[in-house]
Amino acid sequence: MNERISVTILFLLFWTLNVIADDGHTLWLRGQSIGPVKIICSKSSASINIAKQELEKSWHGTPGATLVLSIKSDSSIKGDGFKLGSGKIEAKTDLGILYGVYELLRRQQTGEKIIEEMSNPSYDLRLLDHWDNLNGTIERGYAGNSIFWRNGNDSLTVTEHDKKLWQEYARANASIGINGAVLNNVNSSPRMLDGKILKKVQAIADVLRPYGMKTYLAVNFSSPAVLGNLKMSDPFNAEVIEWWKKKVEEIYSLIPDFGGFLVKANSEGQPGPQDYSRTHADGANMMADALKPFGGIVMWRAFVYSPKEKDRAMQAFSEFIPLDGQFRDNVIIQVKNGPVDFQPREPFNPLFGAMKKTSVMPELQITQEYLGQSTHLVFLATMWEEFLQSETYQEGKGSTVARCTDGSIFRQKHTAIAGVSNIGLDTNWCGHHFAQANWYAFGRLAWNNSLTSKNIADEWIKLTFAQTPPDKIGSSIFSKNWTEKFLGPVKTMMLESREAAVNYMMPLGLHHIFAGDHHYGPGPWYAPNIRPDWTPPYYHQADTNGIGFDRTRTGSNAVGQYHEPLCSQFDDLKTCPEIYLLWFHHLPWDYKMKNRRILWDDLCYHYNAGLQQVREFQKVWDRIQPYIDSERFVAVQNKLRRQCLNAQVWNDGCLLYFQQFSRRPIPYDIGRPMNNLDDLIKSDMKRR
Ligand code: GCV
């Protein structure tokens, strides 16, 4: 065998092995250097050194090229932003250099042009909220246990393995611009502030710091009483105020760059200032005063609702609008994207743009609590794009949620955005390989809230699935074949996936019709003897007359919380977008839709369309098999099978249940149910 043939065989063998196994642990950071780079940089620091290492590890530019990294005072660069140019990256801060390096490497690996360009972050604070409990479990976590906390005798020991994982985690976050993490559940244990636990927080903070990630904690409002043995936790009580001051001093003595607190108060049974007849502002300000000398912030959640009110969707607005202007300038009100709770589709929360004198930050949910958890393939960037680009009209046309929260319209002291993390100990971090795309998308949108979901999907697929080594350097690094047979179809599938989930779960504005409290499968029938706003019938209101929640001016008047012309638009059936129809209106089953179908028929067609879409995703995936390693191929194939079975259950459960009220046939040209309603009610979707 001549030498050339044996080299080719060796290469092919390596190539095949490379294509065979990939557990997904390296996420979108798979690029290996294709040649040396000469780095010129007069500065050295932990973050700059990481930037240099990243360049050496993953350089995809011309081999032997020179890159100059320089710190400049330039007023056009904001915060940790940077200027990219041919052969140079300029920034005001070391972190700016690091973010610039990640951007450059991303562009090299995706074949995107590298031109003179400025990149400033949309939000100063770009955070992941971990709902991780001290015993290692994760509330609404679907990818294994916590990477930070565990049970057992060694729960507070910090191993080399822990540190390696935290470092990988910090690197992944820095690569997409995320610069902070709340390390624990908003349903927070008072123990979180115990000295021993804080030592572990310090160890985590030390690993995250060089990557520009600050550490934050979710705190329990009753900590002074429960942990500090005080008689109460009243924010006006001198001892309570002193307790928080001392606790904050202790934290900063361990973690000098500690970010601050996240608080869920007087919400879903959590304690709060209202327990002492104080307001949210009283509670938040007391903590803010303790944090202020150290530069810390309070993120106070507006996720509040009580069973006594007639419409859960209205309560955050009703409680918080009267407090606008009363919060200290280091308080940010954290508001979920929709007015109910991370549903597959909701209109935006009317608080956005309406609280004009207070810093307000969006809270998105990356973990797919209500969107098929880690079983369904649902790319959330389309949903977040829809939300960020929603027009609030608060300051005239162009007052999108994005512009109302990123400082473009209101002079917020702080701009911030948070995403509830989908990360756990699973090897691939997120449970589903495609759920990594949601982590990635959150970071990219937090950095630039005008990115399109299409571009984000494109980048992520190239970084995550393109096979190394690339064909060529430059703009045509991806072969025509790969682009047509893999990139195109997979991107289309991702971009359609959220609408598919809305179709087979809750089309036309339906919401919160999940079974039990696991929030996975359908349960429009679920109505045990608990507070009504925790049961689906409260939301769908189906009866023989019709279906939907009447939030019009003559109903709960939730439409009144939106700025004109939205208020009238949502109120009027002629102008209400059909995607929100049953969110705002209770309508008869024979209501005529814009496409001339009656509502019942249209509902059936939507459910069926969702099911058919997932069946198509299966075909797309099977066709791309030659272009992907077998490990990830099989894992996703199996998940898609379960997603199809689940979509069938959603279709059957919802249609058979609602049919009891509509008393009409399912249109005969679409598939018939395959499950019996009684069986579905009994199983309550426990088998996923
Ligand atoms: C952390 C929903 C979830 C809860 C979550 C809550 C919140 O109700 O189901 O698990 O609690 O939102 O955001 O506080």
Side-chain angles (χ1 to χ4, degrees):
M1 213 185 315
N2 78 25
E3 207 177 299
R4 189 175 280 176
I5 296 179
S6 50
V7 167
T8 311
I9 291 175
L10 268 177
F11 175 78
L12 285 176
L13 191 66
F14 167 80
W15 178 255
T16 319
L17 288 174
N18 196 31
V19 172
I20 284 174
D22 194 324
D23 59 16
H25 191 69
T26 43
L27 296 159
W28 48 85
L29 292 164
R30 296 151 38 90
Q32 297 292 328
S33 165
I34 56 162
V37 52
K38 195 166 160 230
I39 306 163
I40 300 179
C41 179
S42 55
K43 206 176 165 201
S44 163
S45 71
S47 306
I48 296 260
N49 294 346
I50 292 172
K52 290 182 194 163
Q53 282 161 23
E54 292 289 12
L55 285 167
E56 275 151 14
K57 191 172 166 12
S58 311
W59 180 253
H60 266 56
T62 313
T66 300
L67 182 71
V68 185
L69 308 177
S70 40
I71 301 285
K72 289 241 161 102
S73 78
D74 177 338
S75 60
S76 60
I77 304 177
K78 306 265 178 284
D80 293 326
F82 54 84
K83 246 185 193 168
L84 213 57
S86 143
K88 63 173 189 194
I89 297 172
E90 293 171 1
K92 284 208 294 207
T93 62
D94 296 3
L95 283 174
I97 294 289
L98 181 61
Y99 294 138
V101 162
Y102 282 123
E103 177 67 26
L104 178 70
L105 293 174
R106 172 173 32 251
R107 285 182 184 223
Q108 290 178 341
Q109 288 165 38
T110 56
E112 208 186 313
K113 279 207 194 74
I114 298 163
I115 42 170
E116 288 275 331
E117 207 174 307
M118 171 81 73
S119 181
N120 285 322
S122 298
Y123 299 96
D124 297 335
L125 310 178
R126 307 172 294 277
L127 313 185
L128 284 188
D129 288 356
H130 290 265
W131 286 357
D132 296 16
N133 299 309
L134 283 173
N135 67 3
T137 59
I138 303 182
E139 183 153 350
R140 313 303 177 187
Y142 313 104
N145 271 5
S146 169
I147 63 168
F148 300 119
W149 311 105
R150 60 175 163 262
N151 239 349
N153 294 338
D154 70 338
S155 64
L156 297 179
T157 318
V158 174
T159 65
E160 284 311 307
H161 180 264
D162 289 330
K163 286 199 208 159
K164 181 167 175 282
L165 197 64
W166 299 339
Q167 187 253 333
E168 289 170 345
Y169 160 85
R171 175 179 180 234
N173 280 316
S175 76
I176 48 175
I178 292 174
N179 66 357
V182 180
L183 301 184
N184 64 307
N185 192 352
V186 284
N187 291 327
S188 171
S189 160
R191 268 185 62 227
M192 198 64 221
L193 293 176
D194 183 287
K196 287 197 213 85
I197 310 273
L198 290 178
K199 283 269 181 212
K200 183 156 185 192
V201 175
Q202 178 187 27
I204 299 171
D206 288 345
V207 177
L208 305 194
R209 186 171 299 112
Y211 288 89
M213 287 196 77
K214 278 195 184 184
T215 300
Y216 300 74
L217 293 178
V219 296
N220 184 299
F221 198 80
S222 285
S223 300
V226 183
L227 187 69
N229 291 321
L230 299 189
K231 287 201 192 71
M232 50 152 86
S233 298
D234 182 350
F236 283 6
N237 177 278
E239 280 183 78
V240 170
I241 295 171
E242 193 52 27
W243 188 89
W244 281 109
K245 270 190 165 167
K246 286 269 155 349
K247 191 43 89 180
V248 166
E249 278 167 24
E250 182 188 345
I251 296 175
Y252 278 91
S253 71
L254 298 168
I255 309 155
D257 59 347
F258 180 69
F261 294 149
L262 170 64
V263 193
K264 171 175 178 177
N266 294 121
S267 158
E268 298 188 328
Q270 291 298 316
Q274 292 173 347
D275 305 350
Y276 305 94
S277 306
R278 315 291 183 203
T279 68
H280 286 290
D282 298 333
N285 290 345
M286 180 265 302
M287 288 187 185
D289 289 342
L291 288 157
K292 180 86 177 175
F294 304 92
I297 56 153
V298 175
M299 292 169 287
W300 193 270
R301 296 176 91 225
F303 179 63
V304 292
Y305 61 100
S306 119
K308 284 183 240 128
E309 303 293 332
K310 61 178 176 194
D311 184 357
R312 168 174 171 179
M314 298 174 70
Q315 294 175 41
F317 189 96
S318 317
E319 272 191 49
F320 278 83
I321 287 293
L323 301 175
D324 193 17
Q326 293 182 28
F327 292 94
R328 299 280 191 270
D329 68 1
N330 58 333
V331 175
I332 315 180
I333 303 302
Q334 182 167 305
V335 182
K336 289 188 181 184
N337 57 292
V340 169
D341 192 6
F342 297 138
Q343 295 302 293
R345 173 168 274 133
E346 296 184 51
F348 69 89
N349 191 315
L351 275 172
F352 292 109
M355 278 193 98
K356 299 178 198 297
K357 295 181 230 142
T358 310
S359 298
V360 172
M361 64 188 283
E363 177 179 347
L364 308 176
Q365 195 181 45
I366 311 171
T367 189
Q368 292 166 234
E369 174 181 356
Y370 295 102
L371 279 136
Q373 303 176 3
S374 56
T375 303
H376 295 200
L377 189 162
V378 184
F379 181 50
L380 300 176
T382 45
M383 171 161 87
W384 298 333
E385 186 181 358
E386 177 178 296
F387 159 68
L388 289 165
Q389 297 314 321
S390 291
E391 181 60 88
T392 72
Y393 292 103
Q394 285 287 348
E395 296 291 315
K397 218 165 180 293
S399 311
T400 57
V401 171
R403 297 189 68 243
C404 285
T405 51
D406 68 7
S408 311
I409 296 184
F410 304 112
R411 283 170 185 266
Q412 306 202 162
K413 166 99 178 177
H414 296 283
T415 60
I417 187 165
V420 180
S421 153
N422 62 350
I423 297 160
L425 279 176
D426 277 8
T427 308
N428 72 7
W429 301 89
C430 303
H432 194 308
H433 289 289
F434 276 79
Q436 296 179 351
N438 293 329
W439 177 9
Y440 181 86
F442 170 75
R444 297 291 287 132
L445 282 168
W447 183 275
N448 180 352
N449 62 13
S450 60
L451 285 181
T452 63
S453 42
K454 198 166 157 204
N455 282 347
I456 297 172
D458 191 272
E459 278 176 12
W460 178 79
I461 297 169
K462 286 174 177 166
L463 296 170
T464 308
F465 293 113
Q467 290 160 8
T468 51
D471 300 354
K472 274 189 256 149
I473 302 162
S475 59
S476 58
I477 54 177
F478 304 103
S479 68
K480 192 164 173 279
N481 194 35
W482 185 82
T483 307
E484 278 173 10
K485 301 275 174 47
F486 187 90
L487 177 65
V490 172
K491 190 163 41 181
T492 306
M493 170 175 76
M494 286 173 76
L495 293 172
E496 286 175 2
S497 59
R498 185 270 185 141
E499 204 58 47
V502 169
N503 280 336
Y504 65 72
M505 287 182 175
M506 284 165 236
L508 297 174
L510 285 176
H511 50 288
H512 227 315
I513 56 172
F514 294 93
D517 66 353
H518 52 62
H519 298 166
Y520 184 72
W525 50 81
Y526 179 75
N529 195 16
I530 52 173
R531 40 190 281 196
D533 57 347
W534 283 350
T535 70
Y538 172 94
Y539 299 97
H540 63 63
Q541 308 261 323
D543 56 24
T544 49
N545 296 323
I547 181 169
F549 200 120
D550 183 0
R551 296 193 166 102
T552 62
R553 288 182 179 123
T554 50
S556 75
N557 197 25
V559 292
Q561 295 183 336
Y562 289 90
H563 198 284
E564 286 293 8
L566 277 186
C567 168
S568 303
Q569 203 186 94
F570 290 151
D571 189 63
D572 186 346
L573 272 173
K574 288 199 280 307
T575 49
C576 181
E578 285 189 345
I579 54 171
Y580 301 134
L581 198 63
L582 303 177
W583 183 282
F584 288 113
H585 297 267
H586 184 82
L587 296 170
W589 294 104
D590 62 356
Y591 169 78
K592 273 268 162 45
M593 303 290 292
K594 295 205 172 91
N595 59 15
R596 312 300 305 149
R597 284 182 185 141
I598 60 162
L599 173 60
W600 164 251
D601 286 355
D602 208 40
L603 199 65
C604 296
Y605 282 108
H606 271 279
Y607 274 104
N608 188 256
L611 179 55
Q612 297 316 319
Q613 280 169 295
V614 189
R615 298 289 283 161
E616 284 305 312
F617 297 164
Q618 280 190 296
K619 292 185 203 156
V620 169
W621 194 250
D622 280 1
R623 266 190 223 116
I624 59 82
Q625 184 170 13
Y627 304 92
I628 187 176
D629 56 281
S630 57
E631 195 168 343
R632 288 186 296 176
F633 173 76
V634 170
V636 173
Q637 188 184 50
N638 286 336
K639 298 255 180 190
L640 280 169
R641 284 180 186 155
R642 283 206 279 157
Q643 186 173 354
C644 276
L645 290 168
N646 292 170
Q648 183 76 53
V649 167
W650 269 99
N651 175 82
D652 299 357
C654 293
L655 292 186
L656 291 174
Y657 173 77
F658 290 133
Q659 193 177 32
Q660 302 176 118
F661 305 108
S662 79
R663 297 174 179 164
R664 288 163 190 274
I666 293 170
Y668 295 107
D669 57 341
I670 56 177
R672 319 318 293 161
M674 296 172 73
N675 297 281
N676 290 322
L677 184 58
D678 288 348
D679 297 341
L680 293 178
I681 293 176
K682 256 188 251 136
S683 79
D684 196 20
M685 202 71 195
K686 283 198 185 78
R687 218 189 98 249
R688 305 215 170 153

